[in-house]
């Protein structure tokens, strides 16, 4: 055992948290505190650029958030298994801690991206983040549009975690960052297809009605389709992530 590892183990036994799960999360925090700090500074920089510089880089934070399950594996400690043993941490507790660590790292990125989008001053003829708009003619995006966009890409990030998080729990291997980005883009495309389908169904249901073809009705239809899609995307992503988490813990 090298000197650095001995120091960590001695400190661990002197200031050991009370439960294995807390010890596991403390170990995760110790290993990845520099990465979390970098994410926080990057989020602040993107917000400042968006508010004061008119440079909109929220998509950078979004893509980084999607990569987090893969990036945590890349920054894994070389003596992770030995340190877990010295902490008295089971593989199930390690899987629980890694789940929460992914969310901990994603939080500043997601919040920073959302803040930069909400702080942006969109003018007339502008399009909102995902450009999922079926309203006729140019219009200025409103708060509803931004919230829908934030909900859609947040759901895509959660889906990537659900699909790749199990691999991130296996020592010595893990998903590639490019694969995480590809999954994020794939889920986003599926969300767009669902949105177009919901809008088409609502339009068919309105055909022949007294307000069919009215611009205000078309705008309302577009908004309804967006909210339905966001609810389906977020709801399904959260349910699948929680189900997958239970499976990761059982099979750890």
């Amino acid at each position: 055992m090298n000197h650095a590892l001995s120091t960590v183990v001695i400190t661990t036994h002197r200031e050991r948290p009370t439960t294995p799960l807390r010890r596991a999360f403390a170990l995760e925090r110790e290993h990845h505190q520099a990465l979390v700090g970098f994410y926080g500074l990057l989020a602040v920089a993107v917000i400042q650029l968006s508010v004061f510089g008119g440079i909109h880089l929220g998509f950078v934070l979004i893509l980084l958030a999607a990569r987090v399950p893969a990036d945590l594996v890349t920054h894994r400690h070389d003596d992770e298994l030995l340190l877990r043993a010295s902490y008295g941490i089971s593989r199930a507790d390690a899987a629980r801690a890694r789940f929460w660590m992914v969310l901990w790292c994603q939080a500043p990125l997601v919040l920073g991206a959302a803040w930069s989008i909400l702080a942006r001053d969109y003018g007339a003829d502008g399009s909102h983040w995902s450009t999922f708009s079926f309203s006729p003619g140019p219009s200025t995006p409103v708060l509803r549009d931004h919230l829908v966009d934030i909900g859609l890409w947040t759901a895509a990030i959660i889906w990537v975690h659900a699909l790749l998080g199990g691999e991130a729990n296996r020592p010595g291997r893990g998903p590639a960052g490019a694969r995480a980005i590809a999954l994020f883009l794939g889920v986003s495309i599926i969300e767009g297809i669902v949105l177009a389908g919901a809008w088409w169904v609502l339009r068919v249901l309105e055909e022949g009605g007294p307000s069919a073809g009215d611009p205000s009705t078309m705008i309302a239809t577009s908004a309804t389709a967006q909210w339905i899609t966001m609810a389906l995307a977020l709801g399904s992503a959260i349910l699948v992530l929680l189900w997958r988490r239970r499976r990761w813990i059982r099979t750890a």
Side-chain angles (χ1 to χ4, degrees), residues 129-215:
W129 187 264
S130 302
T131 65
F132 288 161
S133 179
F134 294 94
S135 302
S139 61
T140 302
V142 296
L143 178 62
R144 181 200 69 233
D145 298 321
H146 302 320
L147 293 178
V148 168
D149 294 333
I150 291 169
L152 288 174
W153 55 252
T154 299
I157 291 172
I158 297 173
W159 268 108
V160 173
H161 185 187
L163 295 173
L164 294 184
E167 297 182 27
N169 289 319
R170 301 173 188 171
R173 60 168 296 182
R179 185 177 167 205
I181 299 300
L183 281 173
F184 174 84
L185 296 177
V187 173
S188 299
I189 291 172
I190 293 174
E191 289 177 344
I193 294 173
V194 173
L195 175 56
W199 179 82
W200 181 81
V201 169
L202 291 174
R203 290 288 297 141
V204 169
L205 293 176
E206 290 176 356
E207 288 295 332
S211 59
D214 183 78

Side-chain angles (χ1 to χ4, degrees), residues 27-230:
L27 184 61
E28 289 283 349
R29 271 203 327 268
E30 181 182 350
H31 289 174
H32 304 297
Q33 60 184 354
L35 188 63
V36 176
F38 169 73
Y39 287 158
L41 290 175
L42 186 60
V44 171
V46 168
I47 292 172
Q48 295 298 317
L49 288 173
S50 179
V51 174
F52 300 108
I55 303 173
H56 309 296
L57 299 175
F59 69 92
V60 174
L61 301 182
I62 295 171
L63 295 179
L64 282 176
R67 283 178 52 106
V68 165
D71 289 340
L72 289 188
V73 177
T74 303
H75 292 81
R76 176 173 280 156
H77 197 284
D78 293 336
D79 297 315
E80 181 175 348
L81 294 179
L82 186 57
L83 285 172
R84 284 183 190 175
S86 70
Y87 271 75
I89 298 170
S90 67
R91 287 183 295 180
D93 286 324
R96 293 186 181 95
R98 177 54 57 88
F99 170 82
W100 289 111
M101 193 65 211
V102 170
L103 299 183
W104 184 266
C105 288
Q106 287 176 335
L109 298 172
V110 170
L111 293 176
W115 192 346
S116 67
I117 291 170
L118 293 175
R120 179 175 177 178
D121 183 18
Y122 287 81
D125 300 331
S127 60
H128 49 101
W129 187 264
S130 302
T131 65
F132 288 161
S133 179
F134 294 94
S135 302
S139 61
T140 302
V142 296
L143 178 62
R144 181 200 69 233
D145 298 321
H146 302 320
L147 293 178
V148 168
D149 294 333
I150 291 169
L152 288 174
W153 55 252
T154 299
I157 291 172
I158 297 173
W159 268 108
V160 173
H161 185 187
L163 295 173
L164 294 184
E167 297 182 27
N169 289 319
R170 301 173 188 171
R173 60 168 296 182
R179 185 177 167 205
I181 299 300
L183 281 173
F184 174 84
L185 296 177
V187 173
S188 299
I189 291 172
I190 293 174
E191 289 177 344
I193 294 173
V194 173
L195 175 56
W199 179 82
W200 181 81
V201 169
L202 291 174
R203 290 288 297 141
V204 169
L205 293 176
E206 290 176 356
E207 288 295 332
S211 59
D214 183 78
S216 61
T217 301
M218 295 180 66
I219 294 174
T221 300
S222 175
T224 303
Q226 290 174 352
W227 284 110
I228 290 174
T229 304
M230 185 186 70

Side-chain angles (χ1 to χ4, degrees), residues 99 155 158-159 162 231-247:
F99 170 82
I158 297 173
W159 268 108
L232 288 174
L234 271 177
S236 62
I238 292 172
L239 289 176
V240 172
L241 178 61
L242 293 177
W243 171 71
R244 293 277 290 174
R245 174 180 177 270
R246 294 183 61 183
R247 184 178 177 183

